[in-house]
Amino acid sequence: MSIERLLGGIALGLAIVALLGWLLFRRMKLDWFGSHLRELPVNRLWHLLAARFLRMAAVGFLIDLVLGGSMSRPLVLLFAFLFGLCGPVVLLMRHRPPFQRVLFVAPIIFILYGIALLHRRGVDLPPSSAAAAYRFDALSIFAMFLASAFATTKHINTEGALQLRAENELEAARAVQQVLIPDEIPSVPGFKIESSYQPAGEVGGDFFQILPLIGGGVLVVIGDVSGKGMPAAMTVSLLIGTLRTLAHYTSSPGEILAAMNRRMLVRSKDGFTTCLVLRADPDGTLTIANAGHISPYCDGEELTIESGFPLGLLAQSTYEEAQAELKPGAQITLLTDGVVEARTTTGELFGFARTQTWSRKSAEQILEAARAFGQDDDITVVTLALAGGKP
């Protein structure tokens, strides 16, 4: 057996060992490869891996140049392929510590280079053969880097297009939300109403509506849609559209929630919405129905209200109505879980006890207290008191 075949067999064996090792890691479900790349689109991932492969493949031709063009063409191509594989492997292992990447790749590189040195020993090429080998290696290196630049450009263009699409979607979601979240509180005779809203990101999933009733009184609706971005904004638009339509026909909080639930079941996909509807009559009578939302606080005390399932989960959900009285000087406070779930950097929650203590304050004060504590989610606060009373 010739030395060339022996060395080629060793190099091929290394490739097979590397492939079997990767399959073993995958079968054992060890988190060595690709966990940080799983969310990338397939086209973008292939362009990125191809660019890394081509850049490292050029090293195989470079080694032949360093050794004076003494390697045979098949062996040079095999080396280029094996070195090329090191590029994607290092990328896929980027989330691992540096020493692990070195331990995995360095032995392969040194063994391949050692094989090339053994093959170089005793070889004395004629000038014409050496010149032809140099031309082959130089053209191959140029072709590898040119192809790598093309793959990198495709990756960058794909990334730019995805970023632009994400920015456009975010801007559209923001525009939808600005229309749906009231800029100004409508004037409702007999009531003093305040609100504060602060999303955790660019676009939140919280919503609220304040709808004066024709016969006097007001409907206050507050809710929290699961998810963020454009899907959440579209769900909010669906709910508010349904709510505004229903308000022309009924002012019953339980009926409103049941109708909103039916609409959510038709349109939602694996999502849900917590929502609370409150009707305040001119004499201070409160009628409340709850779909999995945080109970309101009245005069600093949490109201005991039976809660139904969140919207969009169960077709046969019903929502019982509870009665309460808003006395002069008292305040009822509605809020989302962004207040309760605010947390410090050490993980301490704002919690229900602090929320109850702050519930007598104004909407702006409650929101600022939660933000200062450590905002972790969208925050919405709505307060309602009888006009002329001291909240």
Side-chain angles (χ1 to χ4, degrees):
M1 179 183 295
S2 65
I3 186 65
E4 182 177 318
R5 290 185 178 180
L6 175 61
L7 297 177
I10 294 174
L12 184 60
L14 285 173
I16 294 174
V17 169
L19 177 62
L20 291 176
W22 180 81
L23 293 174
L24 177 62
F25 281 131
R26 187 174 181 180
R27 185 175 182 84
M28 294 174 64
K29 297 182 179 180
L30 296 180
D31 187 22
W32 271 72
F33 303 118
S35 62
H36 60 298
L37 299 173
R38 289 172 188 159
E39 300 302 322
L40 284 180
V42 175
N43 288 341
R44 182 181 166 194
L45 178 60
W46 278 116
H47 292 146
L48 186 59
L49 293 176
R52 294 298 183 96
F53 174 86
L54 292 167
R55 282 202 294 270
M56 284 299 297
V59 176
F61 299 103
L62 183 62
I63 288 178
D64 189 44
L65 275 177
V66 172
L67 298 178
S70 61
M71 298 169 62
S72 65
R73 300 286 172 82
L75 191 58
V76 172
L77 293 174
L78 179 60
F79 268 49
F81 175 73
L82 294 177
F83 273 106
L85 289 179
C86 293
V89 167
V90 171
L91 175 66
L92 294 172
M93 294 176 62
R94 190 171 57 184
H95 66 307
R96 307 301 301 177
F99 78 92
Q100 291 185 0
R101 300 199 298 269
V102 172
L103 287 177
F104 191 87
V105 176
I108 298 176
I109 294 176
F110 282 117
I111 290 173
L112 290 176
Y113 191 68
I115 291 173
L117 288 176
L118 288 174
H119 186 68
R120 172 72 175 83
R121 184 175 300 172
V123 175
D124 189 13
L125 292 178
S128 59
S129 298
Y134 288 153
R135 287 195 298 271
F136 173 74
D137 292 334
L139 288 173
S140 298
I141 291 173
F142 176 76
M144 291 294 104
F145 277 105
L146 188 64
S148 174
F150 175 77
T152 301
T153 302
K154 294 287 288 184
H155 161 63
I156 293 173
N157 290 341
T158 302
E159 184 177 16
L162 290 171
Q163 183 177 358
L164 180 61
R165 185 171 64 183
E167 290 175 354
N168 290 338
E169 180 178 316
L170 184 63
E171 186 62 32
R174 192 184 297 114
V176 170
Q177 191 169 58
Q178 287 175 349
V179 172
L180 298 175
I181 298 297
D183 289 330
E184 296 182 359
I185 300 299
S187 177
V188 181
F191 294 96
K192 177 184 177 182
I193 305 173
E194 296 180 353
S195 69
S196 288
Y197 169 73
Q198 181 62 53
E202 295 288 342
V203 179
D206 284 5
F207 65 93
F208 70 96
Q209 289 288 292
I210 298 167
L211 305 175
L213 298 175
I214 296 177
V218 62
L219 274 177
V220 181
V221 181
I222 189 170
D224 184 2
V225 174
S226 62
K228 305 291 181 187
M230 194 61 181
M234 295 307 296
T235 301
V236 170
S237 67
L238 169 69
L239 290 170
I240 291 180
T242 302
L243 170 65
R244 289 175 176 172
T245 301
L246 290 168
H248 291 289
Y249 302 99
T250 180
S251 61
S252 166
E255 292 179 5
I256 290 173
L257 284 179
M260 292 172 70
N261 179 61
R262 290 193 294 270
R263 190 68 182 274
M264 276 286 290
L265 285 167
V266 175
R267 296 291 298 275
S268 65
K269 295 180 179 179
D270 301 325
F272 64 91
T273 299
T274 66
C275 187
L276 185 141
V277 180
L278 177 147
R279 186 184 75 231
D281 296 326
D283 62 357
T285 300
L286 303 177
T287 306
I288 310 169
N290 190 8
H293 200 76
I294 293 178
S295 295
Y297 292 86
C298 186
D299 199 22
E301 297 294 330
E302 182 177 354
L303 293 179
T304 303
I305 302 171
E306 184 176 348
S307 177
F309 284 99
L311 307 178
L313 292 182
L314 188 64
Q316 304 302 322
S317 290
T318 58
Y319 301 95
E320 299 293 330
E321 296 182 347
Q323 301 287 329
E325 183 181 358
L326 183 62
K327 297 179 180 179
Q331 171 181 289
I332 187 163
T333 301
L334 292 73
L335 45 82
T336 57
D337 57 9
V339 176
V340 179
E341 295 177 0
R343 67 180 67 228
T344 64
T345 55
T346 60
E348 181 185 0
L349 287 172
F350 194 80
F352 285 97
R354 284 191 183 91
T355 301
Q356 182 174 349
T357 301
W358 279 90
S359 65
R360 291 186 173 91
K361 304 292 185 180
S362 68
E364 184 66 25
Q365 288 175 318
I366 297 171
L367 184 144
E368 288 303 323
R371 285 186 62 187
F373 198 81
Q375 183 175 0
D376 195 50
D377 196 1
D378 307 327
I379 297 176
T380 304
V381 183
V382 179
T383 62
L384 177 74
L386 292 174
K390 182 183 283 188

